[in-house]
Amino acid sequence: MSISIAARLASACAVLALFSMPVSSNAEYPDKNIRMIIPFGAGGGSDVLARTIGSVIKDLKLVPVDFMYENLPGSSGARGYKEASRRKGDPYTMATVSVSFFTTPLLGRAPFKQEDFTPIAAISMSPYVLAVKNDSPYQSLKDMAQSKRLTTGTVGVVSDARLLADMVSKQMKVKVDVVPFDGEGEITTGVLGKHIDFMFGNPSEIMPQIEAGTMRALAVSAGERLSSMPDVPTFKEQGYDIEHTMLRSVVMPKGVEPEVVAYWENVLRKVAESKEWKERYLDRYKDEPRYEDAKQTAALIQRTNERYVAIMKELDIIK
């Protein structure tokens, strides 16, 4: 009996040792499919981003394995990010970064924190456009600054639109009331119906309205003018120190080997530089090209988190 127990223990130890072996073992990495966790439902921005990255990697034959996509929506991203974070050291698990990656832990609603992840790379930049109705009296940001009070919309209590509205209020020294809506479409309707003065949206959301002649863009939140909207000046060009974009980036669980980070940095750099990525994602969704390595992405994630902490404290959402 004792021999049987000893044998079982030895077998268990061997299995544990196998799973804890570093990537630099004899096996070539990667030698099995990559699990891409998407913390939101099918068809949303995070889903499109993850699947487009995977399709470009597959078509360019950049890795010898496939991506297995797993949508885990729920609790503002908490369910998916929790699953990804608990796979500590797993070089076969990935997730994409969203606004909820920052806000959900800060709200105390998530069993994960940013330190539970390893930043890999950023692959593009999603800026925001401040837009008004086509017949709005506001022809420029300076016109808006002359107003005593402005109104805009947001989805959720804490969002990039809410963050930017606070920046506008501080920089222009004007009161900005932020009205909660259930979806981006409702915010657009709010602007067109003159229920709110302006909105923030991604270029892919605003450009159809501009092309239809229903809205005008007054400013973009990027550091430079957008290639998709070259006639729209930045906030900084107009004298306001406002810059905020969402980096479309990829993370893995905490504790993955440096060799794994370097491997995927190289893969994602090739994706970012490919014409397939430009055609399928940048051109289609009007994002701007921007590749950042793991170290740069980590710094940008920290900086973005600090912005959310500041705004949430100011709103008395967190202490």
Side-chain angles (χ1 to χ4, degrees):
M1 185 70 175
S2 60
I3 295 176
S4 176
I5 293 174
R8 290 178 185 177
L9 286 173
S11 177
C13 290
V15 171
L16 288 173
L18 176 64
F19 281 102
S20 64
M21 287 177 68
V23 174
S24 56
S25 64
N26 293 332
E28 289 291 330
Y29 174 82
D31 62 354
K32 64 180 182 179
N33 292 335
I34 303 298
R35 183 187 185 197
M36 176 67 85
I37 293 177
I38 305 166
F40 303 93
S46 294
D47 186 66
V48 170
L49 174 65
R51 292 176 189 272
T52 305
I53 290 172
S55 71
V56 172
I57 289 174
K58 181 176 181 179
D59 291 349
L60 294 180
K61 296 180 172 56
L62 298 179
V63 302
V65 297
D66 291 328
F67 279 85
M68 305 300 291
Y69 306 100
E70 188 172 354
N71 293 88
L72 294 175
S75 305
S76 299
R79 181 185 172 206
Y81 285 126
K82 175 187 176 182
E83 174 60 22
S85 67
R86 78 179 188 86
R87 305 293 299 178
K88 184 176 180 180
D90 182 3
Y92 292 92
T93 297
M94 286 185 176
T96 55
V97 172
S98 68
V99 175
S100 296
F101 180 80
F102 302 97
T103 59
T104 302
L106 290 174
L107 290 169
R109 300 173 182 169
F112 72 89
K113 54 187 181 298
Q114 287 163 28
E115 291 78 8
D116 294 330
F117 297 89
T118 300
I120 300 300
I123 196 166
S124 72
M125 176 185 72
S126 186
Y128 294 92
V129 181
L130 187 155
V132 298
K133 195 174 186 296
N134 61 332
D135 60 356
S136 168
Y138 303 118
Q139 298 293 320
S140 68
L141 295 184
K142 292 194 181 299
D143 289 340
M144 293 177 66
Q146 298 304 311
S147 177
K148 291 183 179 179
R149 204 177 192 105
L150 296 168
T151 53
T152 189
T154 182
V155 177
V157 177
V158 182
S159 67
D160 281 348
R162 182 65 186 81
L163 180 67
L164 284 160
D166 184 71
M167 293 179 178
V168 165
S169 180
K170 288 180 178 178
Q171 287 289 313
M172 296 185 182
K173 297 181 174 19
V174 58
K175 172 67 175 176
V176 178
D177 293 319
V178 183
V179 182
F181 288 85
D182 291 331
E184 300 292 348
E186 290 189 10
I187 296 177
T188 300
T189 300
V191 172
L192 298 179
K194 297 186 178 181
H195 303 299
I196 55 177
D197 296 315
F198 69 95
M199 69 175 287
F200 284 103
N202 295 128
S204 61
E205 298 167 334
I206 301 298
M207 282 190 69
Q209 299 296 331
I210 294 174
E211 292 169 351
T214 57
M215 283 190 183
R216 287 185 287 108
L218 301 187
V220 296
S221 67
E224 299 178 354
R225 294 196 184 198
L226 309 182
S227 58
S228 60
M229 307 177 76
D231 296 330
V232 182
T234 66
F235 279 96
K236 290 190 174 182
E237 282 182 80
Q238 300 177 73
Y240 300 103
D241 188 20
I242 297 175
E243 182 178 346
H244 179 69
T245 61
M246 172 54 71
L247 280 182
R248 304 300 184 186
S249 47
V250 174
V251 294
M252 296 182 80
K254 178 181 180 180
V256 295
E257 298 280 349
E259 294 87 352
V260 172
V261 175
Y263 179 91
W264 287 107
E265 277 181 320
N266 183 53
V267 169
L268 291 172
R269 177 181 56 78
K270 290 178 180 177
V271 170
E273 294 173 351
S274 71
K275 65 180 180 60
E276 288 82 359
W277 176 249
K278 182 178 185 301
E279 292 170 354
R280 297 180 198 178
Y281 195 82
L282 299 181
D283 291 348
R284 184 174 181 181
Y285 298 102
K286 309 305 178 186
D287 268 14
E288 293 290 298
R290 181 170 179 177
Y291 171 81
E292 302 285 357
D293 64 21
K295 184 177 180 180
Q296 294 165 327
T297 301
L300 289 166
I301 285 176
Q302 181 178 353
R303 192 182 313 157
T304 300
N305 189 66
E306 289 170 354
R307 288 176 179 169
Y308 282 116
V309 169
I311 182 73
M312 290 169 76
K313 283 185 176 179
E314 184 167 332
L315 293 171
D316 202 28
I317 296 173
I318 61 175
K319 302 299 182 183

